[in-house]
């Protein structure tokens, strides 16, 4: 399998798998010390389009706060079960201060700031695997500058 390919997995039940995707792009930050990332919105738009073409129901969010990010990611898993699929993509700043994670538009630099923490991604993956949901989480983020 090459990068950019998605292998179809047939559900064990023989029925049609539910395929959902959540795409988050953080382009414009409220904190002026955090560099805006205009390409992040484009990333989310492209990923949503590509997964829709593969039969997924995409949910796309651009420039949202951490609370909304938590809602939309948890909502993607809601109601999924054995052999269903969930893809989560994030493009934006990473955060490596008080906690490892990714930022929302409401994240502030060098503070106890709201972030979607790495352990939240791990908990999401564990919940999905506990339901036998196929999950993939793709994070395009780095810790650069003030984030």
């Amino acid at each position: 399998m090459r990068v950019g390919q998605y292998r179809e997995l047939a559900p064990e039940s023989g029925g049609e798998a539910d395929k959902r995707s959540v795409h988050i792009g953080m382009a414009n930050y409220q904190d002026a010390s955090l560099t805006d990332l205009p390409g992040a919105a484009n990333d989310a738009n492209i990923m949503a389009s590509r997964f829709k073409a593969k039969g997924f129901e995409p949910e796309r969010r651009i420039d949202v706060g951490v609370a909304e990010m938590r809602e939309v990611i948890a909502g993607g898993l809601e109601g999924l079960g054995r052999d269903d699929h969930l893809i989560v993509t994030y493009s934006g700043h990473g955060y490596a201060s008080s906690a490892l994670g990714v930022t929302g538009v409401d994240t502030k630099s060098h503070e106890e700031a709201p972030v979607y923490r790495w352990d939240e991604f791990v908990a999401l993956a564990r919940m999905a695997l506990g339901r036998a949901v196929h999950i993939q989480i793709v994070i395009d983020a780095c810790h650069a500058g003030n984030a």
Side-chain angles (χ1 to χ4, degrees):
M1 185 178 307
R2 293 185 333 224
V3 172
Q5 287 183 323
Y6 177 79
R7 184 172 61 106
E8 292 292 329
L9 299 173
E12 288 179 13
S13 64
E16 186 72 23
D18 192 354
K19 299 190 300 188
R20 297 184 193 161
S21 60
V22 175
H23 309 283
I24 299 170
M26 296 298 167
N28 302 297
Y29 288 87
Q30 295 169 359
D31 186 334
S33 70
L34 295 176
T35 306
D36 288 343
L37 301 170
N42 193 43
D43 291 345
N45 289 328
I46 289 170
M47 294 301 276
S49 174
R50 296 265 168 101
F51 279 99
K52 184 173 184 167
K54 294 286 186 184
F56 281 77
E57 297 173 34
E59 185 75 32
R60 180 181 46 111
R61 291 289 194 278
I62 308 296
D63 295 341
V64 296
V66 173
E68 185 175 345
M69 195 180 341
R70 283 188 178 106
E71 264 182 43
V72 73
I73 291 172
L77 185 59
E78 195 171 297
L80 294 182
R82 175 171 286 291
D83 294 323
D84 291 335
H85 301 266
L86 176 62
I87 309 288
V88 177
T89 68
Y90 172 89
S91 183
H93 283 298
Y95 193 87
S97 185
S98 58
L100 274 177
V102 297
T103 59
V105 295
D106 52 350
T107 300
K108 307 282 188 239
S109 72
H110 303 298
E111 286 184 15
E112 285 296 318
V115 293
Y116 193 96
R117 296 180 327 273
W118 177 249
D119 61 345
E120 292 178 85
F121 282 116
V122 171
L124 176 75
R126 285 187 177 142
M127 281 191 293
L129 294 173
R131 299 180 192 181
V133 171
H134 303 285
I135 185 168
Q136 294 175 332
I137 302 169
V138 180
I139 300 171
D140 178 8
C142 69
H143 171 60
N146 293 327

